[in-house]
Amino acid sequence: ALNMSTQPHTVTKEEIPGHVLYAVGTCVLIIGSIGVIGNLLVLYAFYSNKKLRTPQNYFIMNLAVSDFLMSASQAPMCFVNSLHREWILGDIGCNLYAFCGALFGITSMMTLLAISVDRYLVITKPLQSIQWSSKRRTVQIIAVVWLYSLGWSVAPLLGWSSYVPEGLMISCTWDYVTYSPANRSYTMILCCCVFFIPLVIIFHCYLSMFLAIRRTGRDVQKLGSCSRKSYLSQSMKNEWKLAKIAFVVIIVFVLSWSPYACVTLIAWAGRGNSLTPYSKSVPAVIAKASAIYNPIIYAIIHPRYRKTIHKAVPCLRFLIRISKNDLLRGSINESSFRTSLSSHHSLAGRTKSTCVSSVSTGEATWSNVELDPVEPAHEKLKPRRSHSFSTSLRQEKRDLLP
């Protein structure tokens, strides 16, 4: 029988080869560096391009912030501990490290849930989504996401479970291995409220979006007006394109955290002693690598993000390729936008100066009349030589010259 009341075996640095710890620490450092640089590029692109600063994209910016902080807070500390082959930062450092990992990881998951619900409302209930699309409401939702994540991250510090070193003893997380009521309850409720329930809601939203788009496509085909049909279909395509990008981000994020969720559930079931240090550390590294996928996916799929980075960061042009069609389409859109603005201003100027131009035209007409006075009677009686007659006289004189 399993002895479930005993503490899990603590790994010492003599039990793990040094090259394994160095390799794991180096991988974490590389992943963290890519996450920091990539998410900074995402934030810079959305900050520098005003067309990307929409309320819907605030969620993407929040996801980039949480991923950036995840990479910046986890990678350096893990790498330093791997060089010493053990956790050297003490209990306070362990609590801080695990608290940051939990806070930023849960924030990313809840942000993906908010993105899915936002796309669901825009596509399936466009009229109701108007009140949810304001910047103020979006900021409020992001604040709720952070507060929700903060509550789950603070709980182990207040006595509901605890933060301890895990796996290879170069990183920390909540104690999901020790078989105790507090740890088991925290592990199960955390997995349900942070991973499984949001996952069910996300897939429900995307299934509803797919059915709604297919139904709307059939309804659009029944419309008689071609312009109306093309407008509705293009609008729906744009919304579905954003939804597909978000769906790819969510799928990759879920695949990254699924191994870690499986390990915690194995320990929750009382089989924590069967887990090796490698089986606990490798899923943790894969989960932390989820912070780098967001900028990579946007660099591949999102055309406006690619164009912004391609223009702002010339050294990355060999990585981010832009087709000539994308550049031509962007220039056409920009020129048409400028043309519409200039025509709008010129139309406003013409409307504004209608009275002035009509008055000036009238004044010019009357001045022409005044500059052409009535001729006296004796001037009218004088014979006038026509222009053709004078021209013939000049021609005759020219012919008589030797």
Side-chain angles (χ1 to χ4, degrees):
L2 277 173
N3 186 9
M4 298 180 181
S5 61
T6 59
Q7 295 290 328
H9 173 65
T10 301
V11 180
T12 60
K13 64 180 181 180
E14 287 79 13
E15 299 180 35
I16 305 297
H19 65 274
V20 174
L21 294 174
Y22 300 151
V24 172
T26 303
C27 289
V28 172
L29 183 64
I30 294 173
I31 291 172
S33 302
I34 296 174
V36 168
I37 296 173
N39 287 287
L40 280 178
L41 288 176
V42 172
L43 293 173
Y44 175 76
F46 282 90
Y47 175 77
S48 61
N49 193 339
K50 293 182 178 180
K51 296 179 181 179
L52 292 174
R53 277 182 270 167
T54 61
Q56 290 79 13
N57 284 338
Y58 281 4
F59 293 118
I60 303 298
M61 296 176 69
N62 186 62
L63 183 62
V65 169
S66 62
D67 289 342
F68 166 77
L69 294 175
M70 169 72 86
S71 300
S73 63
Q74 303 292 294
M77 298 174 71
C78 183
F79 178 72
V80 170
N81 288 311
S82 69
L83 296 179
H84 292 82
R85 302 176 60 185
E86 61 181 352
W87 185 264
I88 62 169
L89 301 177
D91 293 338
I92 297 178
C94 182
N95 289 333
L96 178 62
Y97 179 92
F99 169 80
C100 292
L103 175 63
F104 303 138
I106 297 172
T107 299
S108 298
M109 185 63 187
M110 293 300 106
T111 303
L112 293 175
L113 175 62
I115 292 172
S116 302
V117 174
D118 174 72
R119 292 293 90 199
Y120 166 78
L121 292 175
V122 169
I123 291 177
T124 62
K125 300 177 181 179
L127 295 179
Q128 298 180 13
S129 67
I130 295 176
Q131 59 181 346
W132 294 92
S133 299
S134 64
K135 292 183 179 179
R136 181 180 179 183
R137 185 60 61 87
T138 304
V139 172
Q140 290 175 352
I141 295 174
I142 291 175
V144 171
V145 166
W146 281 95
L147 290 175
Y148 183 82
S149 306
L150 181 64
W152 284 107
S153 305
V154 169
L157 299 177
L158 301 179
W160 192 15
S161 188
S162 60
Y163 289 133
V164 294
E166 67 168 342
L168 300 176
M169 299 297 159
I170 58 175
S171 62
C172 289
T173 186
W174 84 93
D175 188 4
Y176 58 84
V177 179
T178 304
Y179 199 87
S180 65
N183 291 336
R184 295 190 73 219
S185 61
Y186 180 80
T187 299
M188 177 51 63
I189 299 176
L190 177 70
C191 290
C192 290
C193 296
V194 171
F195 189 77
F196 293 110
I197 294 177
L199 196 59
V200 171
I201 297 174
I202 287 171
F203 279 104
H204 170 73
C205 290
Y206 274 91
L207 179 61
S208 302
M209 279 188 279
F210 174 76
L211 296 176
I213 286 181
R214 189 172 66 173
R215 184 171 57 252
T216 304
R218 294 173 181 174
D219 295 338
V220 166
Q221 295 300 325
K222 298 177 183 179
L223 294 175
S225 175
C226 294
S227 59
R228 195 180 191 187
K229 186 188 300 184
S230 62
Y231 171 77
L232 289 175
S233 60
Q234 184 63 35
S235 177
M236 190 61 66
K237 284 180 182 178
N238 293 335
E239 298 297 342
W240 180 238
K241 185 183 295 183
L242 294 176
K244 286 192 293 185
I245 295 174
F247 183 72
V248 173
V249 174
I250 291 168
I251 289 296
V252 172
F253 185 88
V254 169
L255 292 177
S256 300
W257 283 91
S258 293
Y260 200 68
C262 293
V263 168
T264 58
L265 290 180
I266 291 173
W268 177 85
R271 302 287 178 179
N273 291 329
S274 63
L275 296 173
T276 64
Y278 300 100
S279 64
K280 290 183 283 189
S281 292
V282 173
V285 174
I286 296 174
K288 291 178 175 62
S290 64
I292 71 173
Y293 301 140
N294 182 29
I296 294 175
I297 292 171
Y298 271 81
I300 295 174
I301 299 178
H302 203 298
R304 188 167 290 173
Y305 170 79
R306 287 203 311 270
K307 285 187 283 188
T308 303
I309 296 300
H310 189 272
K311 181 179 179 181
V313 188
C315 61
L316 294 179
R317 290 179 180 175
F318 70 99
L319 290 176
I320 301 177
R321 301 289 183 180
I322 297 181
S323 62
K324 295 181 179 180
N325 293 331
D326 290 339
L327 291 174
L328 183 61
R329 192 181 302 116
S331 61
I332 291 174
N333 291 337
E334 186 176 0
S335 62
S336 61
F337 177 72
R338 290 177 179 174
T339 305
S340 62
L341 281 180
S342 61
S343 62
H344 174 73
H345 288 305
S346 62
L347 178 61
R350 286 198 300 269
T351 306
K352 196 172 182 180
S353 61
T354 301
C355 298
V356 178
S357 62
S358 60
V359 172
S360 61
T361 304
E363 290 175 351
T365 305
W366 284 109
S367 63
N368 289 336
V369 173
E370 291 172 356
L371 289 173
D372 189 16
V374 179
E375 294 180 349
H378 66 276
E379 292 292 337
K380 288 183 179 181
L381 293 175
K382 289 183 179 179
R384 296 175 181 267
R385 289 188 300 181
S386 64
H387 177 70
S388 60
F389 180 73
S390 60
T391 304
S392 62
L393 285 178
R394 286 197 298 270
Q395 185 65 30
E396 289 177 1
K397 289 180 179 179
R398 194 176 295 114
D399 294 336
L400 289 174
L401 289 175

